[in-house]
Amino acid sequence: MTTATRASQRMIIRDVRVFDGVNDRTQDNADVLIEGSHVIAVSTSPIAGDASDGVVEIAGKGRFLMPGLSDAHVHLMGNANSMLDFVQGPTGTLYGNTIAEAKRMLLRGFTTVRDMGGDTAPVKALIDRGTFEGPRIFPSQAMISQTSGHADFAFVYDIPEEFGGKPSRTEDIHFTRVADGVPRVLAAVREQLRMGATQIKLTLGGGAASMYDPLNTLQYTPDEIAAAVQAATDYGTYVATHVYTPAGIARALDAGVRSIEHGHLADEATVRRIADAQAWLSMQPFAEDDHHYPDPVRAGKNTEICRGTAQVYEWAKKYGVKTAWGTDLLLEPQSAPRQSAMAARLRDFYSNAEALRMLTSGNAELFEMAGERNSYRGGKLGVIAEGAWADMILVEGDPLTDLSLIGDPENAFKLIVKGGQVVKNTL
């Protein structure tokens, strides 16, 4: 049973084992004091206060308290709607489904997400205002693509805008933006920033979900990528790029891209170069059945991508690459709950402590590269510490010894708090 309460003036979560999002070991027998939307204190000495002082007390009884989870590569609108919804569904239904999925995502314990394609700035505003429940959102707005690129969702017979054609349906709803040539790329980047993007998403290579582009294609010229990077930098933020291959990653890094999304087909030299550039590798621990492609071409691309996962993770650890975690589930609403299982799957590649850090403070470090575009600068994300946003989960069991617990949020997550507001309490 889920309950929602207004953020209390003061709340104390008593007698918990605190994983702060940074250190491997927990702080045991601790009390956590929340005032309004922030953590005020974490103490192993009892914190004064009770109901007579207007304090809400929650008895942790030795349970595991951790920061809220984060996902560095979601498509909230894409998670919530199918391709048929995008092509034929009313626009209002698309947004309604997105808002409903945002709440489900929060109840899976994800208190912050970085959205990598979709018109989520309005949804973010409604959530931040308290109109609807959902995670904090770092929106990229529309994915920017060249004609025939990964985010070109036009039909094959549609005339490109460059030749007088009309924008595709996904452009009309700000899910994608096709832009060719430096002037149009600049305009596309600036359009997303005007609409509330906290970072920019470019597609620089082929993908499994797209119809026209083999994985080995190079998309956007160096000049076009550099123009996008300059426009984002001028706004105090950065560019993240969908790209899998060594050649595509090299072109991105040459242009100053700060976050490589995916990278599953990288070779060892390329992974080392990501480390040398101090760029981020935003990876997803894909399994073949995370996505379902009915045609053999896209299914084959999906298989090739998945085969590269384990090796790239190994090289990333070897060279100390700053690695974030995400899901990239898209256009299959029935698969959205896999988000939790994919988080738990990090145990196949990292220690449980490393995985939990990546899911909390690690991802948050990437999010904060948005600088002044980050509207959540009033507190620290991804940690339980004095001055941090009061986003946290009380877990039945110990994820440091059994990471599979985070794959079962319905049963394992007894309490979810976001911004000092209890959004789930089954204690």
Side-chain angles (χ1 to χ4, degrees):
M1 179 179 178
T2 299
T3 62
T5 64
R6 296 182 63 125
S8 304
Q9 184 178 359
R10 296 185 86 220
M11 178 192 302
I12 301 175
I13 304 177
R14 295 200 182 276
D15 184 23
V16 287
R17 297 179 55 219
V18 177
F19 170 71
D20 64 4
V22 178
N23 297 294
D24 290 357
R25 300 185 65 178
T26 59
Q27 190 172 354
D28 297 341
N29 307 117
D31 286 358
V32 177
L33 172 63
I34 298 168
E35 288 191 1
S37 56
H38 289 74
V39 176
I40 299 302
V42 180
S43 175
T44 53
S45 300
I47 294 175
D50 55 34
S52 65
D53 300 324
V55 175
V56 174
E57 291 186 277
I58 295 176
K61 297 184 178 179
R63 292 183 177 90
F64 188 96
L65 187 73
M66 61 175 287
L69 298 170
S70 59
D71 189 328
H73 196 120
V74 300
H75 294 278
L76 262 174
M77 185 170 278
N79 260 26
N81 294 281
S82 68
M83 191 62 196
L84 193 62
D85 293 327
F86 276 113
V87 174
Q88 295 185 347
T91 303
T93 300
L94 295 174
Y95 286 94
N97 289 342
T98 301
I99 289 167
E101 175 57 25
K103 180 171 182 177
R104 291 190 291 267
M105 198 170 284
L106 178 61
L107 292 176
R108 292 196 287 270
F110 291 91
T111 54
T112 305
V113 300
R114 188 178 61 147
D115 192 277
M116 299 310 289
D119 188 21
T120 53
V123 176
K124 164 189 163 61
L126 291 168
I127 291 171
D128 290 349
R129 195 180 301 158
T131 306
F132 296 106
E133 289 185 299
R136 304 180 192 277
I137 301 174
F138 285 78
S140 300
Q141 290 303 102
M143 296 180 278
I144 302 173
S145 169
Q146 69 175 41
T147 298
S148 81
H150 177 65
D152 181 357
F153 281 59
F155 294 111
V156 68
Y157 48 77
D158 288 334
I159 299 172
E161 275 193 88
E162 199 72 22
F163 304 130
K166 296 180 179 179
S168 66
R169 166 65 171 158
T170 58
E171 289 186 82
D172 284 340
I173 59 173
H174 308 298
F175 188 67
T176 64
R177 172 61 73 207
V178 174
D180 296 297
V182 167
R184 281 184 176 265
V185 168
L186 286 171
V189 170
R190 291 165 180 164
E191 176 191 32
Q192 308 324 308
L193 293 167
R194 182 181 69 186
M195 295 183 70
T198 52
Q199 63 283 320
I200 295 299
K201 167 76 174 296
L202 292 185
T203 62
L204 301 190
S210 42
M211 297 178 284
Y212 310 124
D213 51 347
L215 290 175
N216 64 352
T217 56
L218 285 169
Q219 298 174 18
Y220 277 132
T221 65
D223 286 346
E224 289 170 316
I225 304 168
V229 168
Q230 185 64 63
T233 301
D234 289 347
Y235 237 70
T237 187
Y238 67 98
V239 169
T241 53
H242 162 103
V243 62
Y244 287 105
T245 65
I249 294 169
R251 183 173 286 190
L253 295 175
D254 285 344
V257 167
R258 301 285 305 283
S259 180
I260 302 299
E261 306 299 311
H262 315 314
H264 295 69
L265 303 181
D267 56 23
E268 185 172 2
T270 300
V271 175
R272 183 171 185 174
R273 188 178 172 200
I274 295 172
D276 291 342
Q278 297 187 336
W280 281 83
L281 177 63
S282 176
M283 278 274 285
Q284 303 76 36
F286 287 140
E288 285 192 55
D289 61 352
D290 287 331
H291 302 89
H292 304 92
Y293 299 110
D295 62 286
V297 173
R298 287 190 287 175
K301 291 194 287 185
N302 182 54
T303 297
E304 185 178 351
I305 289 165
C306 293
R307 285 174 180 167
T309 303
Q311 182 62 80
V312 173
Y313 271 134
E314 281 301 312
W315 287 329
K317 289 188 289 183
K318 178 179 178 179
Y319 293 109
V321 175
K322 295 185 290 187
T323 307
W325 172 88
T327 48
D328 194 33
L329 296 168
L330 186 65
L331 303 177
E332 296 178 346
Q334 70 277 10
S335 297
R338 280 181 175 267
Q339 184 180 34
S340 300
M342 290 179 71
R345 197 181 297 159
L346 277 174
R347 69 185 182 275
D348 296 340
F349 310 100
Y350 291 89
S351 72
N352 290 349
E354 289 171 330
L356 287 177
R357 283 199 301 271
M358 191 182 300
L359 290 161
T360 55
S361 64
N363 277 356
E365 185 182 346
L366 169 58
F367 302 161
E368 288 162 1
M369 285 205 315
E372 292 189 4
R373 306 281 73 76
N374 169 16
S375 64
Y376 307 119
R377 298 191 308 280
K380 192 74 174 172
L381 292 166
V383 296
I384 297 178
E386 183 179 336
W389 290 107
D391 303 343
M392 55 193 70
I393 305 167
L394 192 63
V395 186
E396 190 74 71
D398 183 357
L400 284 172
T401 58
D402 182 8
L403 197 66
S404 68
L405 290 167
I406 65 175
D408 184 21
E410 183 175 356
N411 295 305
F413 294 173
K414 298 302 180 182
L415 177 77
I416 300 173
V417 177
K418 180 201 160 196
Q421 180 173 349
V422 175
V423 295
K424 176 183 178 180
N425 186 356
T426 60
L427 293 171

